[in-house]
Amino acid sequence: MKINPHVMAIASAGGHWVQLMRLRPAWAGLRVTYVTTDADFHQTVRQHAEQDGEPTPGFHTVTEANRWQKWRLIKQLLGIAFILIRIRPDVVLSTGAAPGYFALRIAKLLGAKTIWIDSMANAEELSMSGKRIGKYADLWLTQWEHLAKPEGPKYLGSVL
């Protein structure tokens, strides 16, 4: 891994994105590229960088999609693949939903380290993506101690 790794932080809009933004201090000083499903978040990312005294990070959007929108999911998958191949991050981190799932799967194939932090909103059970991502995540975390299992995900304290 490089001395100053390139992190790709990806999440769908809404609560997943809010949680991802709360993690920003974890990658302070690193080269970061954000990916989400809402182009309006670019301004927020710029404002946070300015407030933190950081350079403006990279920013990309992909198609919004869910499990009932198969063609949109394919478009989202292709968009994420294109971004990953183009920017070649060292680490891909997600707090959830389809974009994060696809990103971690592809990133693993490309040799990047992968981190999944399951949504805080999923207090009773893991998210659908969270249940499926485990074997592709180098670090697989849950926000809830009672959801942790020996085979994963791990609970390392409440990080959000």
Side-chain angles (χ1 to χ4, degrees):
M1 182 144 341
K2 298 173 189 169
I3 293 173
N4 190 12
H6 183 182
V7 175
M8 184 171 115
I10 181 169
S12 57
H16 298 289
W17 179 257
V18 170
Q19 291 173 38
L20 188 71
M21 290 295 93
R22 289 181 181 163
L23 290 168
R24 286 180 305 103
W27 50 77
L30 301 179
R31 184 172 160 218
V32 181
T33 298
Y34 291 94
V35 180
T36 189
T37 56
D38 189 332
D40 291 340
F41 295 156
H42 190 206
Q43 184 61 30
T44 304
V45 166
R46 272 196 250 169
Q47 289 171 345
H48 283 306
E50 288 172 10
Q51 290 170 355
D52 297 343
E54 297 281 337
T56 302
F59 184 88
H60 300 275
T61 57
V62 293
T63 301
E64 175 66 57
N66 62 48
R67 64 181 175 232
W68 297 286
Q69 300 168 315
K70 303 303 183 202
W71 288 110
R72 291 179 67 87
L73 279 172
I74 292 168
K75 187 175 178 183
Q76 182 182 82
L77 171 66
L78 294 172
I80 291 166
F82 178 77
I83 293 166
L84 281 163
I85 290 167
R86 201 169 113 229
I87 70 170
R88 294 290 182 154
D90 301 298
V91 178
V92 175
L93 176 139
S94 184
T95 52
Y101 176 81
F102 288 143
L104 265 68
R105 293 284 311 262
I106 298 166
K108 194 73 173 165
L109 291 172
L110 296 174
K113 296 293 182 188
T114 56
I115 301 170
W116 181 274
I117 302 172
D118 208 55
S119 174
M120 279 181 62
N122 296 85
E124 300 304 317
E125 64 179 346
L126 293 176
S127 66
M128 182 188 337
S129 297
K131 288 176 186 175
R132 292 183 165 99
I133 201 63
K135 61 186 167 187
Y136 306 103
D138 294 305
L139 180 59
W140 181 27
L141 300 173
T142 177
Q143 298 290 302
W144 304 101
E145 189 171 9
H146 66 278
L147 295 179
K149 306 220 178 321
E151 68 278 4
K154 293 179 182 175
Y155 173 79
L156 299 178
S158 183
V159 296
L160 292 175

